[in-house]
Amino acid sequence: MPFKLPELGPYDVRVRMKAVGICGSDVHYLRVILLFIVHSHARTKRGVKSASRANIRWILIELQEMRIAHFVVKEPMVIGHECAGVIEEVGSGVKQLAVGDRVALEPGVSCWRCRHCKGGRYNLCDDMKFFATPPVHGSLANQIVHPGDLCFKLPDNVSLEEGAMCEPLSVGVHACRRADVGPEKRVLIMGAGPIGLVTMLAARAFGAPRIVIVDVDEHRLSVAKSLGADAGVKVSTRAEDMAEEIEKIQAAMGAEIDVSLDCAGFSKTMSTALEATRAGGKVCLVGMGHNEMTVPLTSAAIREVDVVGIFRYKDTWPLCIEFLRSGKIDVKPLITHRFGFSQKDVEEAFEVSARGRDAIKVMFNL
């Protein structure tokens, strides 16, 4: 599909993309885009003849259900939002960056006029234009145009791949800030997927003295422990196992759980977090597994467990880059697969990412 690069404004920069990571939302949206294209084809006269009514009904059901929160794909779009590159052109008003600078890009452009933006919580902007979130095109392209103040120069010892990892790492940093993670807070993390792992790394960088991570997959738990988790607890997907699993989790912590970060976002994971956290503790919902949940809020309320959520991040790139520069966080082990930018590479990369298994972060090198 044609992709026209926007004109360069006075405060914009043109960036040659060099590293773009695949997020779970990219895999999700790609599937929806492909279904959208098939559905559009099926609606043509020739398409209707070649597609069975059963297939068309299946496609329509998938299109209705495949969404992330209230973000719905209505037409094909460029995906990708974890990215870094090299500046090729700067607008006349850009003073802090120059051609040749290596930069990590914050993918959301807020309006700076609404009450959220004016109040400093620009991540909640009602008019946010975010890479690869319908209907905004993403960054898996040779070049993009982006506001200069959302491009952050990388130190010499931080690679472009690490720069692209600032985006998922920002989720973990924002979650730790919202949950007040610090040197006196013992932390439970539900989910050892990519976001769970970067959240674990962020929690350690914020000073958490002990971190227990929970997942259904033994391999992911072993990766988490190799990256610094103090303990891992394997659980099932069955709700009836929850009481016994909470006992195991609390035993693995060896003390009260001060903060729980649910990086999966399912009814069971959130219920486990609420029940396992000490009275007066805090639970932060990070993942978006379920749009609706049934959770024991009354039990949490009478123990004054605070529940907070996050939506993306704000003001995180400078700290993420400093964590990477100083070596306080090492994201390199999370990048498990690398691909080029040919048609074959793109198809294979998304297949690898969708399968999961030993893939944590799949990265394009453009």
Side-chain angles (χ1 to χ4, degrees), residues 39-51 56:
H39 175 229
S40 298
H41 177 70
R43 291 180 65 184
T44 66
K45 289 183 179 180
R46 291 175 183 243
V48 168
K49 290 179 180 179
S50 61
I56 293 174

Side-chain angles (χ1 to χ4, degrees), residues 30 35 37 48 52 76-77 82 90 96 98 130 150 153 168-169 183 198 204 225 241 264 266 269-270 289 296 302 317:
L30 178 62
L35 287 167
I37 292 170
V48 168
S52 70
M77 67 178 188
E82 304 175 0
V90 299
Q96 78 278 18
F130 195 93
L150 294 175
K153 189 173 179 179
L169 181 57
V198 292
R204 186 68 81 200
K225 285 186 275 189
D241 296 333
F266 296 106
T269 56
M270 192 61 178
I302 62 176
W317 259 253

Side-chain angles (χ1 to χ4, degrees), residues 278-282 298-307:
R278 68 166 173 82
K282 185 168 287 191
T298 302
S299 172
I302 62 176
R303 292 183 295 116
E304 294 194 356
V305 175
D306 293 336
V307 180

Side-chain angles (χ1 to χ4, degrees), residues 272-331:
T272 299
L274 289 168
E275 292 291 290
T277 304
R278 68 166 173 82
K282 185 168 287 191
V283 174
C284 180
L285 177 58
V286 182
M288 294 184 181
H290 283 159
N291 285 335
E292 295 183 3
M293 298 184 188
T294 300
V295 296
L297 275 182
T298 302
S299 172
I302 62 176
R303 292 183 295 116
E304 294 194 356
V305 175
D306 293 336
V307 180
V308 298
I310 70 162
F311 185 58
R312 295 172 179 154
Y313 32 67
K314 66 182 184 72
D315 300 320
T316 53
W317 259 253
L319 181 57
C320 288
I321 291 172
E322 176 55 23
F323 279 153
L324 297 174
R325 184 204 65 78
S326 65
K328 204 167 185 179
I329 289 180
D330 183 8
V331 294

